[in-house]
Amino acid sequence: MKKKYRIGWLPGDGVGIEVLEAAKIVLEKLNFDAEYVNGDIGWEFWCNEGDALPQRTLDLLSNVDAAMFGAITSKPVKLAEKELTPSLQGKGLIYRSPIVRMRQQFDLYICHRPCKSYPGNSLNFKENIDLVVFRENTEDLYAGVEFSPVPDELKATLSRLSKPFKVFETLGNNDFAVSCKVNTRKGSERIVRAAFEFARKHGRKKVTVVHKANVVRAADGLFLDVAREVGAAYPDIQFDEANVDAIMMWLLKNPFNYDVLVAPNLYGDIVSDLCAQLVGGLGFGCSGNIGDKLGVFEPTHGSAPKYAGQYKVNPIATILSAKQMLDWLGETDLGRKVEGATAAVIKEGKVKTYDMGGANTTLEMGQAIADKI
Ligand code: IPM
Ligand code: MG
């Protein structure tokens, strides 16, 4: 019989494989009517095929309701080149993060990162933290508009446009590098709107817009202007704004002053790591990359190559990402069950992975959560 949902299953490499295995134990315990379709993604595909996210995986993602992704190893461009199979070396292949490509290719413009301190987790910075980060996921400094060496054409344009500063004329093309921060009105508007819609739907009180518009006047200035316009349409929700540097300090000083946060891509990346640490660190940071047609759910952490194969990392971040997937698919009862079971295991404190001060394995944690369902 045909299943209701088709779920792309992309373990990647390193501990990505292990945490997804644990999430599967939990999903299989639910009456979740889904078939799981495996997709190739990860370091080995870069080394052997010159593409960590092969076309067949993109095709697969075009044909699923949602996907779970584990993690992948990334290396700086020059090191990545050296690890290519010899026949692919010297061909000018450039390594780019597959997750960033996936976000752009499928226009997964929302990065939704809830950070909640579950009672009894000894890693909580404080109890009762319940923050939600909305990170723009396709543009900003991740737009991929970068130059090193800087082409003559661009150098000439920059020299002409910034005449009074006379900075570029004296530099050789290899003496500087350019990474463009590109924020669009459309991109800014849809992420801020997503944050406000979420706040309204979930009875949240306040949305804080994170920026650095006093310095990055063009790109962040646009983001902030658009955010103010969007915020004005939600008089029921408090509009708040903060500089990215200051908010890192204030979040540590008093996380209870914040509720929903919305930020351009790079600040959102940074703020969401801080928020994850407030609620227990990498083992608890879950995330959803969401567009109008597809959602790809993944733990915020990376592939942790030094732990690969040891089945010791905490799968809770991935299991909570699976909960987000269920919610996004409209299976909110199932999502609630997964969160409830996870919270119960944390509170009971009997099964703990190494980060929580215990010695249980990744799969034992998955099984313990599944047993509470
Ligand atoms: C994240 C990660 C990624 C990012 C990396 C792996 C490219 O840090 O999802 O937060 O920078 O977006
Ligand atoms: Mg990050």
Side-chain angles (χ1 to χ4, degrees), residues 15-187:
V15 303
I17 297 166
E18 302 161 30
V19 290
L20 238 58
E21 235 176 283
K24 187 68 114 5
I25 298 175
V26 175
L27 286 169
E28 282 185 341
K29 188 72 192 289
L30 300 164
N31 282 327
F32 178 47
D33 192 10
E35 63 163 324
Y36 300 93
V37 202
N38 271 304
D40 294 339
I41 184 169
W43 192 246
E44 65 172 291
F45 302 100
W46 163 257
C47 298
N48 299 331
E49 303 176 24
D51 193 350
L53 176 58
Q55 184 58 43
R56 58 185 177 280
T57 308
L58 297 174
D59 294 343
L60 181 152
L61 284 170
S62 311
N63 204 5
V64 293
D65 297 298
M68 286 292 299
F69 166 58
I72 33 139
T73 303
S74 302
K75 296 196 182 167
V77 173
K78 288 199 174 107
L79 278 177
E81 228 274 307
K82 290 200 185 105
E83 292 196 23
L84 279 171
T85 191
S87 62
L88 292 174
Q89 289 192 13
K91 295 205 157 144
L93 293 172
I94 293 175
Y95 185 82
R96 274 195 72 206
S97 162
I99 182 66
V100 174
R101 275 172 60 206
M102 226 188 308
R103 290 166 181 165
Q104 288 171 339
Q105 185 112 6
F106 293 97
D107 206 18
L108 309 176
Y109 57 92
I110 300 168
C111 187
H112 174 213
R113 295 187 159 169
C115 299
K116 203 190 264 192
S117 54
Y118 289 97
N121 181 359
S122 63
L123 297 172
N124 286 339
F125 178 67
K126 289 195 171 121
E127 298 292 324
N128 301 316
I129 294 175
D130 189 3
L131 296 161
V132 184
V133 179
F134 278 82
R135 162 189 180 189
E136 198 291 320
N137 221 13
T138 57
E139 48 187 42
D140 192 62
L141 275 166
Y142 284 69
V145 188
E146 303 194 90
F147 305 93
S148 171
V150 180
D152 286 334
E153 219 180 332
L154 177 60
K155 194 176 146 187
T157 306
L158 291 172
S159 306
R160 183 168 53 78
L161 293 177
S162 61
K163 263 232 144 38
F165 305 108
K166 293 213 178 310
V167 275
F168 303 110
E169 284 89 335
T170 56
L171 298 172
N173 301 44
N174 278 305
D175 294 339
F176 69 123
V178 177
S179 297
C180 297
K181 180 169 165 105
V182 185
N183 289 353
T184 65
R185 174 166 283 280
K186 177 181 166 193

